[in-house]
Amino acid sequence: MAAFGTVFMPEMALTTFENNQWSESTIVSADSINLHPGAHVLHYSSTCFEGLKAFKHDDGSVHVFRMDQNIERFAQSARLLSLPEIDKEQVAQMILDIVAQYVDDVPSPPGSMYIRPTHIGTEAAIGKAAVPSLHSMLYVLLSPVGDYFTGGAKALRLLLDETGMRCAPHMGMIKSGGNYASALGPISKARVDHNADQILFCPNGDVQETGAANFLLIDDNEIITKGLDSSFLHGVTRSTILTLAKDLGMTISERNITVAELLERAAKPGVEAALSGTAAVLTPVGTFIHEDKEYTVGSGEAGPTTAKLRQALNDIQWGKAPDVHGWLKRVK
């Protein structure tokens, strides 16, 4: 497979919001977008998106995973960005329609069809820096993807940053492009200066998230992760992993954790750390870098609990384990 997220299906589902209503959704060419150079999104970043996947099972059926949760977060992002309110039922149908159009192109496991609903403000009005766009466009792109960990999962190196933030605190729970862009500079610098793969943002010592994933600490039978608030993204994969961990009898602690506690726990044998997200599911963390000193997390390698939780999720997505929580929506 090509690099993750670089190949797209030739068509997408699209609807527009004008005159205070959404148009009937249609299937159009994926390169058919026309934007005025004064479009609100290009000047004032009125944009949000989602990321979810469809999976092919052994019987040939195709299922979208946790679509309802992603649509709820999509609606929340649009609302908090003052974009036109989405029609959740219409978005769900758009997702199902475009996946059905390319159902034969959904890769078999460990591959999947990555689904990217996107909502942008399109009103041509550069005087609206402090006023919402009255017009918008919503489309659903598809990208067939392979295994994120081709060649095996490598334990990541994370720089602990106590001075910076991924984004403005009130923007954290919004899945908007600007949040990712604001983290690119610090992450690029961390790669050059510390050979780090990512930054774990810990403003004033409060462990939050990386530039594109939630953070989980696994200590024996307990998972510790920051409790939900407006400062960071409420990951669907994070929620899913915590539910599966409960099913396996693990203790879930959603609370604040300091850098000091994180480093203390990391020194214990058997401790694991991981990043959760739609693309990679669970990525192991092997090293923390703090104040120019490196701290090995547990063994420094991918741990067994991280692997077990990732496999438990994959088994449901691939139809190899019962979907007891009703997370799969069948397309075909």
Side-chain angles (χ1 to χ4, degrees):
M1 297 290 291
F4 192 98
T6 60
V7 174
F8 298 93
M9 292 293 95
E11 294 179 307
M12 65 182 184
L14 180 139
T15 180
T16 58
F17 187 87
E18 295 183 17
N19 300 318
N20 209 36
Q21 63 181 358
W22 287 102
S23 68
E24 184 176 344
S25 61
T26 56
I27 304 295
V28 301
S29 172
D31 62 0
S32 64
I33 286 181
N34 288 309
L35 278 181
H36 189 282
H40 199 273
V41 62
L42 300 178
H43 299 266
Y44 307 120
S45 298
S46 51
T47 171
C48 59
F49 64 93
E50 274 301 321
L52 61 160
K53 290 177 176 177
F55 298 89
K56 181 169 288 184
H57 292 183
D58 288 343
D59 64 1
S61 63
V62 170
H63 305 255
V64 181
F65 186 73
R66 301 213 72 176
M67 180 174 68
D68 57 338
Q69 287 298 106
N70 282 275
I71 291 175
E72 286 294 334
R73 189 173 63 180
F74 196 35
Q76 173 181 272
S77 293
R79 185 169 59 254
L80 293 175
L81 287 171
S82 297
L83 280 163
E85 182 177 352
I86 70 169
D87 181 332
K88 290 184 282 191
E89 291 186 3
Q90 181 184 33
V91 174
Q93 194 59 53
M94 289 171 67
I95 291 171
L96 295 175
D97 286 347
I98 193 63
V99 173
Q101 183 95 348
Y102 292 102
V103 73
D104 293 334
D105 295 290
V106 177
S108 298
S112 59
M113 184 68 80
Y114 191 85
I115 306 165
R116 175 55 64 92
T118 305
H119 188 188
I120 60 176
T122 55
E123 184 176 2
I126 59 174
K128 281 196 162 187
V131 182
S133 174
L134 295 178
H135 305 156
S136 70
M137 177 186 298
L138 194 161
Y139 55 86
V140 182
L141 279 173
L142 296 184
S143 176
V145 296
D147 186 359
Y148 197 84
F149 292 124
T150 301
K154 176 179 74 76
L156 300 183
R157 295 165 50 85
L158 299 187
L159 175 66
L160 308 184
D161 183 352
E162 296 189 65
T163 60
M165 298 189 72
R166 176 176 179 259
C167 60
H170 67 283
M171 288 287 289
M173 62 195 291
I174 304 172
K175 196 168 179 66
S176 181
N179 289 353
Y180 294 81
S182 68
L184 287 177
I187 293 170
S188 298
K189 189 174 188 301
R191 287 175 177 153
V192 173
D193 294 349
H194 300 280
N195 191 30
D197 297 295
Q198 260 289 356
I199 288 180
L200 180 56
F201 291 98
C202 311
N204 300 314
D206 178 36
V207 177
Q208 295 188 346
E209 63 181 336
T210 68
N214 292 137
F215 176 78
L216 307 171
L217 184 68
I218 304 169
D219 188 349
D220 192 24
N221 200 47
E222 180 183 21
I223 293 184
I224 305 170
T225 187
K226 184 174 175 61
L228 297 179
D229 62 25
S230 64
S231 68
F232 74 106
L233 192 65
H234 301 180
V236 175
T237 303
R238 171 193 178 277
S239 170
T240 304
I241 289 295
L242 295 184
T243 299
L244 292 176
K246 289 178 185 176
D247 291 347
L248 293 171
M250 298 185 69
T251 299
I252 309 300
S253 297
E254 295 186 76
R255 61 171 176 83
N256 290 346
I257 180 171
T258 65
V259 168
E261 180 184 356
L262 181 65
L263 295 178
E264 180 182 349
R265 286 181 180 266
K268 297 167 61 177
V271 164
E272 302 173 38
L275 304 182
S276 67
T278 300
V281 183
L282 270 185
T283 309
V285 174
T287 305
F288 294 135
I289 306 163
H290 184 246
E291 296 180 348
D292 295 322
K293 184 177 178 181
E294 296 192 5
Y295 298 82
T296 300
V297 182
S299 69
E301 303 296 332
T305 303
T306 299
K308 179 172 68 174
L309 289 169
R310 185 172 189 265
Q311 191 63 54
L313 176 50
N314 283 156
D315 285 346
I316 295 171
Q317 292 171 329
W318 299 341
K320 300 182 183 301
D323 176 25
V324 298
H325 296 286
W327 288 336
L328 295 171
K329 176 69 174 178
R330 182 168 178 149
V331 177
K332 175 186 176 184

